[in-house]
Each structure stands twice: as C-alpha cells, then as structure tokens.
Amino acid sequence: MLLSSIKILPPHWPLTLVNGNKQPLGKNWQRNPYTPSQAIAIFQQGYVTIGGVTGSYRVKPLGIGLLCGHNSQEFLFAIDCD
C-alpha cells in the first residue's frame, strides 16, 4: 500500500524516510530529500545506508514524510486534521 501511494506523488516532491515513530532518518535529512522514485527503490531494497558519527549503518524505513516549504514548483504545506 505504501509503495502504491508513493507512486502517485508528483516526482518533484521532496520526501524523507521515517522510522516507526515518524522520526526522520539520517543526518541532515532536511537537506538531503529523496524523490518518490528513490524512496520506492529504497523500500524495495528493504533498507537505506545512513552515515553516522561512528560510521555507516543500515536502517529499515517504515514510512515517508513530506518536506514542506518551497520546492522547484510550488510551496507545500500540510494540515494534520485529527
């Protein structure tokens, strides 16, 4: 279901990978977004390699987040309606 949802996103939308607590994965995640096609490839692979202070490690992402703000074509914002 997640992959089919990512496939319908516009290709220029910047994404970040998140863990089970909706926390972004990786250092400088704000400056290193993924495209939807990159996110799909990572989910198909099953993990992403992230560089850390003590070296790199593999992490299994459990979701995606949308980086809001200005991108190449528009200004994105999100509303959480609980």
Side-chain angles (χ1 to χ4, degrees):
M1 177 118 169
L2 179 63
L3 290 180
S4 60
S5 298
I6 297 172
K7 287 178 183 178
I8 64 171
L9 296 176
H12 64 279
W13 278 16
L15 305 175
T16 187
L17 305 173
V18 298
N19 65 16
N21 294 321
K22 300 180 184 177
Q23 296 167 320
L25 300 173
K27 186 176 179 182
N28 295 321
W29 57 269
Q30 304 95 327
R31 291 187 221 131
N32 299 303
Y34 296 94
T35 64
S37 60
Q38 289 171 322
I40 289 169
I42 290 168
F43 278 100
Q44 289 173 336
Q45 178 175 312
Y47 65 89
V48 62
T49 302
I50 297 185
V53 176
T54 59
S56 58
Y57 56 97
R58 292 180 177 177
V59 178
K60 179 179 180 176
L62 298 177
I64 60 165
L66 175 64
L67 288 155
C68 295
H70 187 266
N71 65 36
S72 64
Q73 297 187 23
E74 66 232 334
F75 192 92
L76 299 173
F77 66 97
I79 299 172
D80 188 1
C81 300
D82 284 355

